[in-house]
C-alpha cells in the first residue's frame, strides 16, 4: 500500500530525472513520517531543446520506475505525470504550485547537474519564502572544489594530467606509485579499424523489452510529443538499476576485451560494436562510476580483459567524464556563449532527418534517430566534424546533441560539443580543432564504399564534402590557427595548395553551403 503524504511536510526532497539513486545525499536523513519526495515530468524539459522521443521516453520511464522503487520502500512521493490534468508544463511552475498547496518547511535537493536549473529552483523557493538547501552530489569522484584545485595555476587543463591524479587518488590500475603495465596510456595499441573484411563476432546486445510502465510512457510520448524527432519502436534501453547492472555485466563479459582495439572503428549497420552503452545509466545515476571502474579493473585482475582495453575504458569514466564535468562547472555560464571560430551557419535540416547524400552522415544520423545512440567517434568525427567544417553556430549544434542522445545531459554534452568537437572555447578542452578530410572516415569505416563521393577529391562533382570543407576550414582560419604548434603540419600542407585550387575549393564550399547536400 502507498504511504500517505505527511500532513505537514518537513522536507520536500526534489528528485530530478537524472538523480535516480536511492543512496542520494538528499535522501540520507529522510524521515518517512515527515518528509516527501517531489518529482515532475514537464513538457518544457522536452521542448527547450527539441528533445527526441527516445530521450524523453528514457527519462520518463526511468523516473516512473524510480517512483515505484521509492513507493515500494514506503517513501511518500508527490509525482506529476506528463499528461496529468494539473501539469503546469515547467519545473518552476509545477514546484511553485506544490509549495503553495503543501507549504513544506524546507526544500532540499542534490545540486542539479545543469547550471540553468539551480537558478530556477532558487528563484521559486525565494518567491515562495521557503528555504532551499542544495546538497553536494556524491555520485561523482571529483567535486567542484577538487577540480578547481587541480585547475589552479595551470595554463592549460589537459585531461591526461587530471586523469593521472585521479588514478593515484583512487588507486586504480596502480602498482604503488606506478601505473600498471608501466604506462598511463595504451592508445597506441588501441583504435584500430576493422580492415576490409569488417567486424566478425560482434556480441548481440540484450534488449530490455518495455514493461507496462515503459509502454505507458511510450504511448504518452507518442501522443504528446508526436512531432518530435526519433522513433520509439525500438525502445529497449535499461530503465532500472537492476537492468543497468545487467547491461554493465554484459559489457564487461562480452565486449570489454575488444573495447580498446575497436574504440574508434565504425561500420554500417553496427551501431553498438564493443561500446558499453552505459552512459545514460551513469548519467541518470542508475550506476555509480566507482562500481563501473571496479568491475572493469576486476576483469583485468582476473585475466578476462587485457590492460589496453581496461585502461582505455577506465580512462573514459575516471578521466574524461569527471574532467568534462569539471570544465563545465568551472566555466559556466560564460562557456555556453563561447564561439571562438565565429561560426554562424544554421544547422542543416538533414540533422533532424538523416536525409542527405553523404553516406556517413546518413548512417550516423539515422542510427541516432532510431536508437538515440551513436558512439564517440561517430559523434566527434562524423556529425561533429561536419558541423565544425561547415561552420555551424555552436549553440545550434549543441541544441542538437542535447536533443537526440539518450545520454544527453548538459554538463557532459556541452563541453564535448562546444569544446572538444567545435573548438568553440578556443582551446580550453582540445589543444587543436579536431579537423580531418573524408579520408579519416574512409580509414575508420566502410561508409565511403557506399557513398557517391570520393574522399580523395576536394573539387568537382564527386568531391567529398568533408574534404572540400576541410581545406576551406583551413583557408578560413589560417590566421587564427597559425600560432598553434599542433596545427603546423596541416597549415604547411595548405600552403602547398596552388591559388587556383584554393579558389576552386572555396567556390565548391560556398556551393555546398547554399544547397541541400
Ligand atoms: P563508451 O564508448 O562505452 O564509453 C564508456 C563511458 O565513458 C561512457 O558511457 C561515458 O560515460 C564515458 N565517456 C566516454 N567518452 C566520454 C567523453 N568524451 N566525455 C564524458 N564521458 C565519456 N556523453 C554523454 O554521456 N552525454 C552526452 O550528452 C554526450 N555528448 C557528446 C557530444 C559530442 C559532440 C561528443 C563528441 C561526445 C559526447 N559524449 C557524451 C561522450 C561520448 O560520446 C559518450 O559518452 C559515449 O559515446 C556514450 O556511449 P557509451 O556509453 O557506449 O560509451
Ligand atoms: Fe562521408 Fe565523404 Fe566518405 Fe561519403 S565519401 S561517406 S561523405 S567521408
Amino acid at each position: 500500500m502507498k504511504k500517505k503524504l505527511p500532513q505537514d511536510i518537513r522536507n520536500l526532497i526534489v528528485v530530478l530525472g537524472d538523480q535516480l539513486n536511492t543512496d542520494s545525499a538528499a535522501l540520507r536523513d529522510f524521515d518517512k513520517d515527515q518528509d516527501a519526495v517531489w518529482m515532475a515530468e514537464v513538457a518544457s524539459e522536452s521542448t527547450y531543446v527539441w528533445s527526441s522521443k527516445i530521450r524523453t521516453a528514457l527519462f520518463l520511464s526511468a523516473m516512473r520506475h524510480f517512483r515505484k522503487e521509492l513507493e515500494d520502500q514506503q517513501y511518500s512521493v508527490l509525482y506529476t505525470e506528463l499528461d496529468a490534468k494539473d501539469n503546469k508544463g515547467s519545473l518552476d511552475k509545477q514546484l511553485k504550485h506544490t509549495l503553495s498547496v503543501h507549504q513544506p518547511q524546507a526544500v532540499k535537493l542534490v545540486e542539479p547537474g545543469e547550471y540553468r536549473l539551480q537558478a530556477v529552483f532558487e528563484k521559486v523557493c525565494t518567491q515562495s519564502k521557503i528555504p532551499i538547501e542544495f546538497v553536494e552530489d556524491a555520485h561523482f569522484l571529483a567535486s567542484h572544489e577538487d577540480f578547481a584545485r587541480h585547475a589552479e595555476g595551470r595554463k592549460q587543463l589537459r585531461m591526461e594530467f587530471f586523469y593521472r591524479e585521479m588514478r593515484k587518488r583512487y588507486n586504480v590500475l596502480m602498482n604503488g606509485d606506478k601505473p600498471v603495465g608501466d604506462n598511463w596510456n595504451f592508445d597506441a595499441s588501441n583504435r584500430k579499424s576493422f580492415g576490409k573484411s569488417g567486424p566478425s563476432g560482434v556480441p548481440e546486445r540484450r534488449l530490455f523489452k518495455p514493461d507496462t510502465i515503459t509502454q505507458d510512457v511510450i504511448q504518452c510520448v507518442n501522443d504528446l510529443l508526436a512531432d518530435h524527432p526519433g522513433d520509439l519502436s525500438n525502445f529497449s534501453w535499461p530503465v532500472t538499476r537492476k537492468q543497468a547492472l545487467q547491461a554493465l555485466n554484459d559489457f564487461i563479459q562480452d565486449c570489454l576485451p575488444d573495447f580498446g582495439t575497436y574504440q574508434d572503428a565504425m561500420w554500417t549497420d553496427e551501431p553498438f560494436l564493443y561500446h558499453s552503452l552505459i552512459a545514460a545509466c551513469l548519467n541518470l545515476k542508475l550506476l555509480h562510476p566507482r562500481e563501473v571502474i571496479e568491475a572493469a579493473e576486476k576483469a583485468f585482475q582476473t585475466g578476462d580483459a587485457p590492460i589496453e582495453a581496461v585502461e582505455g575504458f577506465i580512462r573514459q569514466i575516471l578521466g574524461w567524464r569527471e574532467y568534462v564535468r569539471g570544465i563545465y562547472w568551472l566555466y559556466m555560464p560564460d562557456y555556453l556563449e563561447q564561439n571562438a571560430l565565429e561560426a554562424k551557419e544554421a544547422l542543416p535540416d538533414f540533422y533532424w532527418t538523416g536525409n542527405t547524400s553523404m553516406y556517413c552522415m546518413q548512417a550516423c544520423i539515422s542510427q541516432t534517430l532510431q536508437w538515440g545512440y551513436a558512439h564517440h567517434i561517430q559523434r566527434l568525427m562524423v556529425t561533429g566534424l561536419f558541423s565544425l567544417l561547415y561552420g555551424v553556430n555552436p549553440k545550434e549544434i549543441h541544441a542538437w546533441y542535447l536533443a537526440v542522445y539518450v545520454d544527453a545531459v548538459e554538463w557532459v554534452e556541452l563541453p564535448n560539443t562546444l569544446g572538444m568537437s567545435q573548438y568553440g572555447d578556443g582551446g580550453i578542452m582540445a589543444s587543436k580543432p579536431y579537423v580531418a578530410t573524408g579520408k579519416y572516415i574512409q580509414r575508420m569505416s566502410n561508409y565511403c564504399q557506399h557513398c557517391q563521393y570520393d574522399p580523395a577529391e576536394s573539387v568537382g562533382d564527386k568531391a567529398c564534402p568533408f574534404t572540400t570543407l576541410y581545406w576551406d576550414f583551413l583557408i578560413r582560419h589560417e590566421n587564427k590557427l597559425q600560432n598553434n604548434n599542433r596545427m603546423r603540419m596541416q597549415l604547411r600542407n595548405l600552403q602547398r595548395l596552388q591559388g587556383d585550387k584554393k579558389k576552386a575549393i572555396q567556390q565548391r564550399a560556398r556551393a555546398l553551403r547554399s544547397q541541400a547536400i
Side-chain angles (χ1 to χ4, degrees), residues 19-40:
Q19 299 180 338
L20 307 180
N21 49 332
T22 46
D23 63 353
S24 150
L27 293 172
R28 229 165 254 164
D29 306 318
F30 195 91
D31 179 338
K32 289 179 180 168
D33 294 322
Q34 299 189 73
D35 300 335
V37 170
W38 181 90
M39 298 176 77

Side-chain angles (χ1 to χ4, degrees), residues 275-279 283 316 373 376 379 407-408 412-413 416:
H275 290 271
S276 68
L277 318 183
I278 59 162
N283 297 349
Q316 308 305 318
Y373 180 82
H376 187 67
R379 298 185 205 196
D407 51 52
V412 50
E413 177 277 326
N416 268 299

Side-chain angles (χ1 to χ4, degrees), residues 285-472:
K285 305 204 174 99
L286 301 176
L287 291 176
H288 193 286
R290 196 179 300 114
E291 67 191 330
V292 175
I293 291 165
E294 280 169 7
E297 193 173 14
K298 191 165 162 223
F300 168 66
Q301 284 159 350
T302 53
D304 291 317
I307 185 67
E308 294 81 358
V310 172
E311 188 284 313
F313 178 70
I314 287 179
R315 161 187 299 268
Q316 308 305 318
I317 314 250
L318 186 60
W320 280 110
R321 187 167 185 271
E322 298 286 332
Y323 166 82
V324 298
R325 178 174 181 257
I327 295 280
Y328 179 82
W329 283 101
L330 198 60
Y331 290 99
M332 278 298 276
D334 299 346
Y335 200 74
L336 187 55
E337 304 304 323
Q338 299 202 24
N339 186 358
L341 296 177
E342 297 171 64
K344 294 190 182 75
E345 298 292 330
L347 186 74
D349 288 346
F350 62 70
Y351 271 80
W352 298 105
T353 61
N355 192 4
T356 165
S357 55
M358 294 176 283
Y359 186 85
C360 55
M361 290 291 279
Q362 189 214 307
C364 294
I365 295 170
S366 307
Q367 168 195 321
T368 296
L369 297 174
Q370 186 182 7
W371 294 103
Y373 180 82
H375 72 65
H376 187 67
I377 291 302
Q378 293 176 310
R379 298 185 205 196
L380 184 66
M381 297 307 289
V382 182
T383 47
L385 174 60
F386 186 82
S387 160
L388 171 63
L389 299 178
Y390 191 86
V392 175
N393 182 314
K395 270 199 174 165
E396 293 213 13
I397 186 71
H398 152 60
W400 184 77
Y401 278 107
L402 193 52
V404 295
Y405 289 109
V406 284
D407 51 52
V409 283
E410 193 179 84
W411 64 262
V412 50
E413 177 277 326
L414 182 68
N416 268 299
T417 302
L418 188 140
M420 189 191 294
S421 149
Q422 303 298 299
Y423 202 69
D425 64 12
I428 293 173
M429 276 274 291
S431 53
K432 68 178 192 115
Y434 281 100
V435 284
T437 65
K439 283 188 177 171
Y440 173 85
I441 295 172
Q442 183 180 40
R443 195 165 64 247
M444 297 311 296
S445 75
N446 66 337
Y447 294 149
C448 302
Q449 290 170 23
H450 302 277
C451 190
Q452 71 184 66
Y453 302 114
D454 180 350
E457 298 294 331
S458 55
V459 290
D461 288 346
K462 287 195 79 67
C464 164
F466 281 82
T467 305
T468 307
L469 292 170
Y470 165 82
W471 291 112
D472 176 68

